[in-house]
Amino acid sequence: MPNPVPAISESESRVMEVLWRKAPQSSEEIVATLQQDSDWHEKTIRTLLGRLLGKGAVSAEKDGRRYLYSPALSRERWRSQESRSLLDRVFGGRLGPLLAHFSEHEKLGAKDVAELRKLLDAIEKKER
């Protein structure tokens, strides 16, 4: 059985996104990237990085006097766990009520509807 996916906060997921786009990176590079799009202080970013290390979502490799960080958790594995958790908590584990909610409360464009139809067609073909 695979290791459970660690719970990652919204703030921690922003650090992960930086590493999923490019890895490995030093903490200085991660800080610089995140400070471009946020008002986070360096200490906050380093704290988040430390939490991710502690959770096993990120790995660190010594490179001279610094460490290079890489994601130990894939974006796809995290996304799968997060979507399953949302589906279970909010919609009783059922996809139908989720889609009904979005069709009632969100504007679905023609492209969205076409993508949903394509997915449903693929599911029907699998079940035959």
Side-chain angles (χ1 to χ4, degrees), residues 48-86:
L48 292 169
L49 191 55
R51 286 182 192 163
L52 289 165
L53 268 169
K55 292 177 179 186
V58 168
S59 64
E61 182 179 319
K62 192 137 176 79
D63 180 46
R65 295 177 48 146
R66 66 183 185 164
Y67 284 91
L68 295 178
Y69 299 89
S70 297
L73 173 64
S74 74
R75 177 188 276 133
E76 187 52 41
R77 187 159 178 242
W78 173 75
R79 186 178 288 152
S80 179
Q81 175 63 35
E82 286 292 306
S83 59
R84 172 50 53 195
S85 176
L86 171 72

Side-chain angles (χ1 to χ4, degrees), residues 90-109:
V90 181
F91 297 99
R94 297 187 54 234
L95 193 54
L98 169 75
L99 293 174
H101 171 80
F102 279 108
S103 72
E104 293 169 12
H105 300 287
E106 302 293 328
K107 183 178 180 187
L108 294 176

Side-chain angles (χ1 to χ4, degrees), residues 38-49:
S38 72
D39 59 353
W40 289 355
H41 294 281
E42 179 178 347
K43 186 175 179 181
T44 300
I45 297 166
R46 289 182 185 274
T47 297
L48 292 169
L49 191 55

